[in-house]
Amino acid sequence: MIDLVRLRVLRELQLRGTVGAVAGALGYSPSAVSQQLAQLQKDIGVPLTERVGRRLRLTEAGETLARAAEGLLAQAKQAEDAARAACGLVAGTVRLVAFQTALLHLVAPALEALTAQYPDLVVEVLDDEFEHALQSLVLQEVDLVISNEYDRLRRPRTADLTDEVLLIEPTRLILPAGHRLAASESAVRIADLAGEVWASGHPGTSHAEITERLCVEHGGFRPEIRYRSNDLLVNLALAAHGQAIGFLPELVRFTEQSGIVVRDLADATVRRLVIVWTRKDGDVRPSVRAVLDALRAAADTLTAEHPGVARPT
């Protein structure tokens, strides 16, 4: 009988490429990973790995078994989930990854409700970059991922995952209170923002890309982005202290911050979507369903209290 734990180690080596990376992902020491692989090779009776310099590489037999392991591990997980679903038990651990704004306004309220209703449920929460988080979801290292994307920059979907929009929020212009355009309450043309200093996300993020695209396509200029942070509350503070302007989604503004004014854009409508991702059939576990329901309830409460954000219709 093949040991599923050892199969998981082999599959991780195929995906991650090094023993050190596998050890970090599974919480083992590198020597423990090597021992698991050696024992699996002994169980199977054929060489599964080979040394290439200082690295350990899968043989053709190892690659074949690692590909089969993906299906075997998935079936084992489905059987485990089905057993839990059959008894309707909301217990165990659910791992969730989310970005800062969602953690503040959706996850924290949801956790409060879950703790009161399901004392045997443990929800582990991590703040991580979207691309890495989605890979972790596919690899079954986490159970839920909450991300954001702009309606003008939709990400490609994958057959392995399902996604649900929790919230829709407008994106508006944030100006320092003393800015030359702050005196008027009229919507602002993006072309009128040429020559300004901007705060945005790091290159490659959706926030940086939407800032660049709006300025180029609707204003005819490339923004001078002097300040970059993926923490949009930092960008909000920079505007409050007169250092920069920027485009910020509605949820970020729920943090009380004096010294800013908010204006609509006259020539563009941009919405940010807050999305929760799960694996296909991932909500078969009662615990995952409970977390999803709590997130939906938190989204309902948020939209009732703040008309600036909306639930999808």
Side-chain angles (χ1 to χ4, degrees):
M1 182 72 67
I2 298 177
D3 187 285
L4 291 179
V5 173
R6 293 168 190 153
L7 271 184
R8 175 73 183 275
V9 172
L10 184 74
R11 175 62 174 156
E12 290 289 331
L13 181 61
Q14 183 192 48
L15 292 170
R16 301 182 187 277
T18 68
V19 169
V22 174
L26 298 181
Y28 296 163
S29 67
S31 62
V33 170
S34 298
Q35 290 169 13
Q36 292 285 349
L37 292 170
Q39 186 59 52
L40 179 62
Q41 183 167 285
K42 183 178 179 181
D43 295 341
I44 298 298
V46 297
L48 300 176
T49 62
E50 58 187 359
R51 284 283 174 188
V52 179
R54 299 180 63 182
R55 297 180 58 136
L56 199 63
R57 183 176 68 184
L58 295 185
T59 63
E60 184 175 348
E63 290 283 354
T64 300
L65 184 58
R67 287 192 295 270
E70 182 176 9
L72 292 171
L73 291 168
Q75 289 176 26
K77 186 70 167 57
Q78 289 169 5
E80 181 183 330
D81 292 344
R84 287 198 176 104
C87 66
L89 182 64
V90 179
T93 300
V94 173
R95 296 174 178 86
L96 182 152
V97 179
F99 64 102
Q100 183 194 62
T101 312
L103 288 171
L104 291 172
H105 299 293
L106 288 177
V107 176
L111 289 176
E112 183 178 14
L114 288 166
T115 299
Q117 190 170 1
Y118 304 111
D120 295 326
L121 175 66
V122 175
V123 182
E124 295 181 355
V125 179
L126 177 67
D127 181 355
D128 200 0
E129 296 297 327
F130 171 74
E131 287 74 14
H132 181 262
L134 217 58
Q135 181 187 35
S136 298
L137 183 60
V138 172
L139 293 175
Q140 302 186 29
E141 296 171 347
V142 300
D143 302 295
L144 296 161
V145 172
I146 303 178
S147 71
N148 66 78
E149 64 184 47
Y150 293 89
D151 55 358
R152 294 171 174 243
L153 298 173
R154 298 303 300 271
R155 292 186 176 97
R157 267 43 185 172
T158 172
D160 297 329
L161 303 176
T162 183
D163 60 286
E164 174 186 339
V165 177
L166 290 173
L167 290 172
I168 302 170
E169 50 179 332
T171 296
R172 296 191 172 98
L173 176 66
I174 307 298
L175 299 169
H179 193 275
R180 59 185 173 83
L181 296 174
S184 171
E185 295 187 1
S186 301
V188 176
R189 293 174 60 249
I190 297 176
D192 292 337
L193 302 172
E196 298 284 346
V197 173
W198 292 76
S200 183
H202 289 295
T205 63
S206 58
H207 187 256
E209 187 173 348
I210 198 67
T211 298
E212 183 92 7
R213 179 175 292 191
L214 288 174
C215 291
V216 171
E217 294 182 357
H218 295 276
F221 66 91
R222 292 199 175 277
E224 180 191 345
I225 301 176
R226 189 176 299 175
Y227 306 103
R228 290 190 182 274
S229 174
N230 290 340
D231 184 343
L232 298 187
L233 294 180
V234 171
N235 296 343
L236 187 68
L238 287 167
H241 289 278
Q243 299 305 301
I245 68 172
F247 299 123
L248 289 181
E250 186 76 7
L251 284 177
V252 177
R253 297 198 305 107
F254 288 174
T255 301
E256 292 187 9
Q257 179 68 71
S258 60
I260 63 167
V261 297
V262 182
R263 295 291 179 263
D264 289 325
L265 299 174
D267 41 9
T269 299
V270 184
R271 301 184 306 167
R272 188 174 77 160
L273 312 178
V274 178
I275 299 170
V276 60
W277 300 75
T278 56
R279 289 182 296 277
K280 290 288 187 184
D281 302 323
D283 62 350
V284 68
R285 289 166 54 192
S287 54
V288 174
R289 285 203 307 270
V291 175
L292 280 170
D293 288 341
L295 290 170
R296 293 170 185 134
D300 288 338
T301 300
L302 192 64
T303 55
E305 295 175 350
H306 299 280
V309 294
R311 294 275 280 145
T313 56

